[in-house]
Amino acid sequence: MVKSYLRYEQAVVFGVIVSVDSNITYDSSGKHLLAPALEKVGVWHVRQGVCTKTLIPAVPTKGHSLSVTSIASSHTSLVASGYADGSIRIWDSDKGTCETTLNGHKGAVTALRYNKLGSMLASGGKDNDIILWDVVGETGLYRLRGHRDQVTDLVFLDSGKKLVSSSKDKFLRVWDLDTQHCMQTISGHHSEVWSIDSDPEERYLVTGSADPELRFYTIKHDMEDGQSISNVSGTEIVNGGDPPTQNKWEVLKLFGEVRRQSKDRVATVRFNKSGNLLACQVAGKTVDVFHVLDEAESKRKAKRRLHRKKEKKSAKGAPEVMENGDTNRGAGEDGSSLVVTVPDVFKLLQTIRASKKICSISFCPNTPKSSLATIALSLNNNLLEFYSVESNTTTKTHAVELQGHRSDVRSVTLSSDNSLLMSTSHNAVKIWNPSTGSCLRTIDSGYGLCSFIFPNSKYALVGTKGGTMEIIDIGSGTSVEVVEAHGGSVRSIAAIPNENGFVTGSADHDVKFWEYQFKQKSAQDSKQLVVSNVRTMKMNDDVLVVAVSPDAKYILVALLDCTVKVFFLDSLKLFLSLYGHKLPVLCMDISSDGDLIVTGSADKNMKIWGLDFGDCHKSIFAHADSVMGVQFVRNTHYMFSVGKDRLVKYWDADKFELLLTLEGHHADVWCLAISNRGDFIVTGSHDRSIRRWDRTEEPFFIEEEKEKRLEELFESDLDNAFENRYAPNEEIPEEGAVALAGKKSKETITATDSIIDALDIAEVELKRIAEHEEEKSRGKVAEFQPNIVLLGLSPSDYVLRAVSNVQTNDLEQTLLALSFSDALKLLSYSKDWILHPDKVELICRVVTLLVQTHYNQLHSTPAARPVLGALTEIHPRVKECKDIIGYNLAAMEHIKQVKASKSGALFQDAKSKLQEIRAQHSKRLETKTDLREENGRKRRRKNKNSSDVHVRLFDK
């Protein structure tokens, strides 16, 4: 009988607060922060510091390709997340469900931005393309090509009619979305442009690069009457009538530059929601916060600057300069000759300094009463920090840090009853509940390389890089004692079975044997753990791993010279030497029955040995990089191995067969721990995540898994060969070229096949119906038996069902793969489909795409003329649906007006009212300032005249 095994699958992932590959962003309410956590998006409640929801893709893809690379939130509850495989998922953050998946990019998604209405989404990727998506219709509109390198950021302008994109090719491009072409290309940056943003009123656009300065542009808007106007009256006067020909396509005009304080490149520039603050985050530890002055304040500042300049000139003693100064001041009051510069508008307010390198920033959309703004920072050490920006200071309000390690997880250990999990990193030890993934305790410690939980689960031991052993009290979450154990780093701890003892191995060439007992120091104190060194064994080289056999008869020591020495535990005499590895052994374990030893090495191999004679049963090329951990499942010869190739592998040591490959980690896997019953395993990684893999009830067979692996390998080879060898090389796209939004994939090919199958079945059924009608006309009446495959539908409805099952995003590429004959058959059914009122939009898309694609052949094929003639029936039906929608919109607008009139409240434009109040206030301030300056000048003139009189009197 063929042997079956039980499958292991990933169950829980914990320990990751925020990953470094993507940006963070607030949701529309400002209560939650969306943070990337490897392949998922965590929704954190800001005040409580708790992850309330986790957005995880329902269909997992292989391995580490599905990591979040970009996040964007709209003004509604919708959130878009881009992934490393080029896909984009739209989530409802309130429900925590995935609404749709959009596939279009061939590389990782690097930039996402919603328009103000939230109806359109722009995405940029490593494939140098920009794709515009219809969020409501869940489909791609078109692809914009022109950049020569990765797209880094996107901004919508002019109510979503224009789009500005930045790239690592050092250029900015302004795209007209109505005509789908590049209307302006801006150069001038000397290095890659990493981030761009515009203020909410769209007065300025700021760009950040590796250049030592921030660059600012003024934005020109198109008015309804064809005039162009700039919001910055100090720099550009309204152009009445037709603008000059050379400036017709000039949307962005260089305003000026502000020199940055930091030498690091700019990573992110962002305005807050009210537009009065600008944050510039560099690829370091600082964020510069600029105060953005409004038009009146900036003019006033420019006037003061001019007056100071004139006063410096007048101090030289020329009386006519005063007159000129007065006339210039009068001209300046009009605003006609006053020039507002960048320093007049953008003033450095604060500099936020974080403890570690900052990865991303996000302004809270809600402005608190006590401060100017709240800003969230994600750091590269798995930490979220929140700062309150005030006019004078910036204070750190709180941080989210307890739910994860600040660095790699170097060791994981389970308690004897599997109820506790301990993990170590460079500065802390954390105690977890392995079933829920919640962090129970966090204890400060040294750099823990190995750990061990005592059988009573009250105390734990941590071996550190500094050579000490730290005794941890799990109940109180404190470090009880630090024992100076070794002169070098403690690399390994192994318990001695059935005894109150353990063994440690260190880089100082020593193997030490320890005993522990619980002693009560005084009558009042409780019992405490006390460890004492009983024996020491000197080795010739650094000790990397130690292991003790289950019967406590042998001790195994792996040395830096690539050998494993087996000693008798009682006499410490050498029993065996295991040779064969070309690089040092990094991990080792012994089976529960004491028959087998498994060793994993930096040479990527895993060797299985017999403990009786020390013979090598099998050498297996296990991982594509160093093997970091191996462990047997208790009471079996099954074992797990982990390596730096990010994989966890499940083996049968008797048959020397690979059973399963578990993919999920995004970086090197350092350690693993297996439960006593073997029902789950826990792994820790360089990506700071701890993952639990559960044994399921699903059986599998070795032969089936082998076939699956071979098929996947064959398919990947075919895909690579087709893409690299036989596919035509894509030419460099011309300036501002437009292409289709979707991409060809296995899903689109499968959908095309299903439509072709439906067309063939429908054609056969139509022939059968025609034959039956003919027989009926001859008098041979027989009951017609419809084909059961059609599920009781008519042939046209069956084809419509196949078309409707295609995902909206994949429809374009699916129809493009149809041949002309199949497209003609599909068009012939459209006159029947138009009777379905809920399918009008889908039918119009299908007909439009097929006619555009096969226009020339349809035009020159006589058989296609009846089909094209039938398409004229679609137009009245579309017009009817349009009229119904228009009528409903008008009715809703009427109901809104009726309710408004009944409520007695008049609709007012609060924004314009606020602007009026601000303008009046600024006028009053300006008048007061002018009066003060005039009085000051009069006083200075009077003082000067009196001093002249005294001088003349003195001369006399």
Side-chain angles (χ1 to χ4, degrees):
M1 186 176 175
V2 180
K3 184 172 177 56
S4 65
Y5 303 85
L6 292 178
R7 191 179 296 277
Y8 282 81
E9 289 182 354
Q10 184 172 286
V12 181
V13 184
F14 51 94
V16 181
I17 298 170
V18 58
S19 52
V20 299
D21 296 329
S22 177
N23 62 299
I24 58 170
T25 182
Y26 276 92
D27 68 347
S28 55
S29 66
K31 294 179 181 178
H32 296 91
L33 184 74
L34 303 160
L38 303 177
E39 70 272 13
K40 62 185 181 180
V41 178
V43 182
W44 292 87
H45 194 286
V46 176
R47 287 195 177 180
Q48 297 174 1
V50 178
C51 186
T52 55
K53 289 188 193 72
T54 306
L55 310 179
I56 310 174
V59 182
T61 59
K62 291 192 137 189
H64 44 267
S65 60
L66 193 71
S67 58
V68 179
T69 54
S70 185
I71 303 174
S73 63
S74 67
H75 70 282
T76 61
S77 62
L78 292 183
V79 173
S81 59
Y83 295 84
D85 61 353
S87 63
I88 299 168
R89 284 172 173 78
I90 309 293
W91 305 85
D92 189 328
S93 61
D94 292 342
K95 299 176 185 175
T97 56
C98 181
E99 299 294 315
T100 186
T101 303
L102 308 171
N103 289 303
H105 287 285
K106 294 177 183 176
V109 179
T110 54
L112 285 173
R113 189 71 72 111
Y114 276 99
N115 65 347
K116 284 184 180 178
L117 294 175
S119 60
M120 195 180 292
L121 177 70
S123 66
K126 282 190 175 179
D127 55 1
N128 311 345
D129 292 346
I130 301 162
I131 301 179
L132 270 293
W133 306 91
D134 180 3
V135 178
V136 180
E138 299 178 358
T139 182
L141 299 175
Y142 45 85
R143 184 188 301 263
L144 301 173
R145 287 179 165 171
H147 283 295
R148 298 290 186 266
D149 207 336
Q150 169 186 326
V151 179
T152 54
D153 211 348
L154 301 162
V155 171
F156 280 99
L157 293 180
D158 207 3
S159 303
K161 293 179 182 178
K162 296 182 180 65
L163 180 74
V164 183
S165 61
S166 64
S167 171
K168 288 172 75 174
D169 63 4
K170 308 177 187 177
F171 291 104
L172 295 178
R173 288 183 180 273
V174 183
W175 307 84
D176 189 328
L177 300 184
D178 292 334
T179 58
Q180 301 171 18
H181 80 284
C182 179
M183 59 189 300
Q184 187 181 4
T185 302
I186 299 168
S187 60
H189 285 279
H190 303 292
S191 57
E192 297 95 340
V193 184
W194 285 99
S195 184
I196 58 174
D197 198 24
S198 69
D199 62 321
E201 294 180 359
E202 295 184 5
R203 293 192 300 158
Y204 309 104
L205 183 130
V206 58
T207 63
S209 65
D211 299 346
E213 59 275 324
L214 288 176
R215 198 166 281 208
F216 293 87
Y217 298 86
T218 55
I219 302 168
K220 185 177 72 176
H221 297 277
D222 292 333
M223 306 301 286
E224 291 180 1
D225 57 355
Q227 294 182 352
S228 63
I229 185 169
S230 170
N231 285 347
V232 188
S233 60
T235 57
E236 185 176 337
I237 301 165
V238 175
N239 295 325
D242 295 329
T245 310
Q246 63 269 21
N247 294 329
K248 186 179 180 182
W249 306 110
E250 191 180 71
V251 176
L252 300 180
K253 185 178 179 182
L254 185 63
F255 182 36
E257 296 172 346
V258 171
R259 196 159 189 87
R260 298 189 290 112
Q261 292 182 332
S262 174
K263 293 182 180 178
D264 297 319
R265 72 165 178 85
V266 174
T268 314
V269 286
R270 287 291 179 267
F271 285 93
N272 66 340
K273 192 176 181 182
S274 57
N276 64 336
L277 293 178
L278 168 68
C280 170
Q281 174 232 332
V282 300
K285 298 181 181 180
T286 60
V287 178
D288 291 335
V289 181
F290 293 88
H291 185 46
V292 185
L293 305 179
D294 60 16
E295 193 174 336
E297 288 176 338
S298 55
K299 277 185 178 180
R300 204 158 47 248
K301 193 174 178 184
K303 272 188 178 181
R304 284 199 298 270
R305 176 172 49 81
L306 286 175
H307 282 311
R308 281 196 299 270
K309 192 175 179 182
K310 288 166 188 172
E311 282 176 4
K312 283 181 184 178
K313 286 183 180 178
S314 63
K316 294 176 182 178
E320 62 273 4
V321 174
M322 287 295 296
E323 294 173 10
N324 291 339
D326 287 337
T327 54
N328 285 341
R329 183 179 62 81
E333 283 172 358
D334 289 294
S336 56
S337 65
L338 187 67
V339 178
V340 178
T341 60
V342 174
D344 298 331
V345 182
F346 297 92
K347 175 189 174 186
L348 182 63
L349 185 68
Q350 300 290 338
T351 298
I352 302 172
R353 298 186 187 278
S355 56
K356 289 288 181 181
K357 187 178 175 182
I358 304 168
C359 295
S360 177
I361 60 169
S362 179
F363 272 113
C364 180
N366 300 331
T367 305
K369 294 179 181 178
S370 59
S371 60
L372 294 174
T374 301
I375 189 168
L377 276 61
S378 71
L379 308 185
N380 70 341
N381 63 342
N382 197 22
L383 182 65
L384 287 173
E385 290 184 345
F386 299 89
Y387 287 83
S388 175
V389 181
E390 299 165 14
S391 55
N392 298 323
T393 58
T394 302
T395 55
K396 180 180 171 183
T397 54
H398 60 286
V400 178
E401 57 184 344
L402 294 178
Q403 290 85 348
H405 282 289
R406 305 281 75 77
S407 66
D408 303 18
V409 180
R410 290 308 301 263
S411 75
V412 286
T413 311
L414 285 164
S415 61
S416 55
D417 59 355
N418 302 326
S419 62
L420 296 176
L421 170 72
M422 183 168 73
S423 60
T424 65
S425 69
H426 81 292
N427 66 348
V429 173
K430 287 185 180 286
I431 310 295
W432 308 83
N433 182 343
S435 58
T436 61
S438 57
C439 183
L440 306 176
R441 298 277 187 277
T442 300
I443 306 112
D444 293 335
S445 73
Y447 199 131
L449 296 177
C450 53
S451 55
F452 167 63
I453 298 178
F454 290 97
N456 61 1
S457 299
K458 291 183 178 178
Y459 290 93
L461 203 66
V462 177
T464 67
K465 198 172 184 179
T468 61
M469 284 194 310
E470 298 189 12
I471 301 172
I472 306 293
D473 186 341
I474 295 174
S476 63
T478 57
S479 179
V480 177
E481 188 181 356
V482 178
V483 180
E484 296 293 336
H486 289 273
S489 57
V490 181
R491 299 282 178 82
S492 180
I493 299 175
I496 300 175
N498 307 320
E499 291 183 28
N500 288 344
F502 58 91
V503 186
T504 58
S506 169
D508 63 357
H509 303 189
D510 285 353
V511 176
K512 290 190 177 182
F513 297 81
W514 305 78
E515 281 186 356
Y516 64 88
Q517 52 188 338
F518 298 95
K519 286 185 178 180
Q520 192 169 4
K521 292 184 178 179
S522 63
Q524 289 82 13
D525 294 337
S526 59
K527 289 184 178 180
Q528 290 188 352
L529 181 73
V530 178
V531 297
S532 56
N533 183 19
V534 292
R535 280 193 296 178
T536 301
M537 183 169 58
K538 290 280 184 183
M539 306 303 295
N540 298 325
D541 215 329
D542 292 14
V543 179
L544 300 180
V545 194
V546 292
V548 179
S549 62
D551 55 2
K553 188 178 179 182
Y554 304 107
I555 177 170
L556 285 71
V557 182
L559 302 175
L560 195 63
D561 61 3
C562 311
T563 63
V564 177
K565 308 286 186 185
V566 183
F567 298 91
F568 290 102
L569 189 62
D570 50 0
S571 63
L572 300 184
K573 287 185 178 179
L574 182 65
F575 172 53
L576 293 169
S577 286
L578 308 180
Y579 297 92
H581 283 291
K582 296 176 182 177
L583 289 173
V585 173
L586 303 176
C587 50
M588 177 170 56
D589 196 28
I590 306 168
S591 61
S592 300
D593 55 8
D595 290 344
L596 298 177
I597 305 168
V598 60
T599 56
S601 168
D603 61 8
K604 309 175 189 176
N605 287 309
M606 194 169 65
K607 291 183 186 291
I608 300 168
W609 315 76
L611 187 55
D612 45 3
F613 300 107
D615 55 326
C616 182
H617 292 182
K618 187 72 173 176
S619 180
I620 303 169
F621 182 75
H623 289 267
D625 210 330
S626 301
V627 183
M628 299 307 299
V630 288
Q631 194 171 339
F632 279 101
V633 179
R634 181 174 286 189
N635 300 326
T636 68
H637 282 181
Y638 306 145
M639 59 185 182
F640 284 89
S641 67
V642 296
K644 284 189 174 181
D645 59 354
R646 313 179 181 187
L647 300 178
V648 181
K649 293 191 176 183
Y650 184 32
W651 305 85
D652 188 338
D654 290 331
K655 294 186 176 181
F656 316 124
E657 290 279 5
L658 172 63
L659 303 179
L660 281 178
T661 300
L662 306 175
E663 299 176 325
H665 278 290
H666 294 246
D668 310 350
V669 187
W670 289 111
C671 50
L672 84 157
I674 304 178
S675 66
N676 293 335
R677 297 188 300 273
D679 54 344
F680 70 90
I681 70 165
V682 180
T683 55
S685 169
H686 175 67
D687 62 14
R688 302 184 178 93
S689 71
I690 301 171
R691 295 172 190 260
R692 196 186 84 225
W693 313 79
D694 285 357
R695 186 173 62 201
T696 64
E697 296 301 319
E698 181 189 351
F700 70 94
F701 302 97
I702 296 177
E703 289 74 17
E704 289 181 357
E705 290 301 312
K706 278 185 180 176
E707 285 178 10
K708 281 183 186 177
R709 284 194 290 271
L710 286 171
E711 283 176 8
E712 288 165 4
L713 191 64
F714 180 67
E715 284 177 4
S716 64
D717 287 345
L718 271 181
D719 292 341
N720 293 335
F722 178 74
E723 286 177 6
N724 300 331
R725 200 176 304 165
Y726 302 111
N729 292 327
E730 276 195 17
E731 296 180 2
I732 296 174
E734 62 185 55
E735 293 291 316
V738 181
L740 297 175
K743 69 173 181 180
K744 192 176 181 180
S745 62
K746 289 179 183 177
E747 288 78 14
T748 60
I749 294 169
T750 306
T752 304
D753 290 340
S754 66
I755 291 175
I756 293 170
D757 291 342
L759 287 170
D760 293 341
I761 293 168
E763 190 177 6
V764 172
E765 187 69 8
L766 285 172
K767 282 182 182 178
R768 287 184 62 233
I769 292 170
E771 288 172 3
H772 175 72
E773 292 294 331
E774 191 177 344
E775 288 179 1
K776 194 175 178 182
S777 63
R778 291 176 185 173
K780 298 177 183 178
V781 179
E783 189 178 351
F784 180 74
Q785 295 292 333
N787 190 351
I788 196 170
V789 178
L790 270 70
L791 306 172
L793 301 172
S794 65
S796 65
D797 288 347
Y798 183 69
V799 176
L800 179 60
R801 179 176 175 272
V803 175
S804 302
N805 287 338
V806 181
Q807 285 191 8
T808 315
N809 181 44
D810 296 334
L811 186 63
E812 196 169 42
Q813 291 292 330
T814 301
L815 296 177
L816 282 176
L818 290 173
S819 63
F820 175 67
S821 58
D822 291 326
L824 200 58
K825 289 178 191 174
L826 204 61
L827 283 172
S828 64
Y829 288 109
S830 59
K831 63 178 183 294
D832 299 327
W833 296 344
I834 203 67
L835 301 174
H836 297 272
D838 57 329
K839 300 290 183 183
V840 172
E841 185 182 353
L842 174 66
I843 295 155
C844 288
R845 282 195 67 201
V846 170
V847 170
T848 305
L849 281 167
L850 291 176
V851 171
Q852 284 178 345
T853 307
H854 303 283
Y855 175 78
N856 291 328
Q857 283 178 288
L858 287 168
H859 186 67
S860 58
T861 305
R865 286 173 188 170
V867 177
L868 292 173
L871 296 181
T872 54
E873 299 176 12
I874 296 176
H875 185 263
R877 186 64 180 159
V878 173
K879 191 175 183 303
E880 183 184 342
C881 292
K882 185 180 176 183
D883 292 342
I884 291 170
I885 292 168
Y887 181 82
N888 290 337
L889 286 171
M892 285 190 285
E893 186 66 31
H894 175 68
I895 291 167
K896 179 184 171 184
Q897 289 175 1
V898 169
K899 284 194 173 185
S901 62
K902 284 182 180 178
S903 67
L906 297 173
F907 280 104
Q908 295 183 28
D909 189 353
K911 190 176 178 183
S912 62
K913 188 75 177 172
L914 187 65
Q915 284 177 348
E916 283 177 18
I917 293 166
R918 279 181 179 172
Q920 290 170 6
H921 182 62
S922 63
K923 263 189 179 179
R924 284 197 295 271
L925 285 174
E926 205 170 329
T927 309
K928 284 180 182 178
T929 309
D930 291 344
L931 284 171
R932 282 198 207 100
E933 289 175 355
E934 185 64 34
N935 291 332
R937 275 193 292 276
K938 284 178 180 177
R939 278 196 300 274
R940 284 194 295 274
R941 215 177 280 134
K942 188 177 179 183
N943 292 336
K944 190 178 179 184
N945 293 335
S946 62
S947 63
D948 289 343
V949 168
H950 285 304
V951 168
R952 284 197 293 272
L953 289 170
F954 180 76
D955 289 341
K956 286 180 181 178

